[in-house]
Amino acid sequence: MALPALLGMGALISFFTRVVEWFVTRIASRFTSRLAGILVWTTLYITLLIALASTFALIINGISASLPSELAAGMGAVKPDNLEACIAAIYSSKVAMWVFQQKKQLIDWEQGRPVL
């Protein structure tokens, strides 16, 4: 009589083990997929900000190179050395604020809050 009861316990333990395994797998896959998505978007965002900063620097340097020599020398006397970096930082911060506002609106929309 004891042997069938022990065989039933093995099946019961196997069933509960599979349920716990399925539950842990679902939680882990959801967490890792969200984390991977966040990392991809953060990397893309940082890459775009760096590209924006370098584009501004190249545009300003290109404008300075295409000016007549007297005007370029006059601008060189007035223009600070880090003008390109300052302009890139200003516009990058504006883009960053816009992206974060869009992200906040999306989160509010997903949670059912009124979007202003």
Side-chain angles (χ1 to χ4, degrees), residues 25-103:
T25 303
R26 294 285 289 186
I27 290 174
S29 67
R30 176 174 282 175
F31 176 73
T32 54
S33 66
R34 285 186 180 181
L35 182 63
I38 289 169
L39 290 176
V40 165
W41 284 111
T42 303
T43 304
L44 179 66
Y45 176 70
I46 291 172
T47 304
L48 289 175
L49 286 180
I50 291 171
L52 181 67
S54 63
T55 302
F56 277 124
L58 291 174
I59 287 173
I60 291 174
N61 286 333
I63 289 173
S64 297
S66 64
L67 292 175
S69 61
E70 295 86 17
L71 188 58
M75 277 185 60
V78 177
K79 181 182 85 157
D81 292 336
N82 62 349
L83 176 71
E84 297 90 0
C86 290
I87 291 176
I90 290 168
Y91 282 101
S92 297
S93 66
K94 289 184 182 213
V95 169
M97 285 301 299
W98 180 79
V99 168
F100 287 127
Q101 287 172 353
Q102 296 300 317
K103 183 179 175 182

Side-chain angles (χ1 to χ4, degrees), residues 8-20:
M9 287 297 292
L12 189 63
I13 290 172
S14 174
F15 173 74
F16 282 122
T17 304
R18 288 184 182 176
V19 168
V20 170

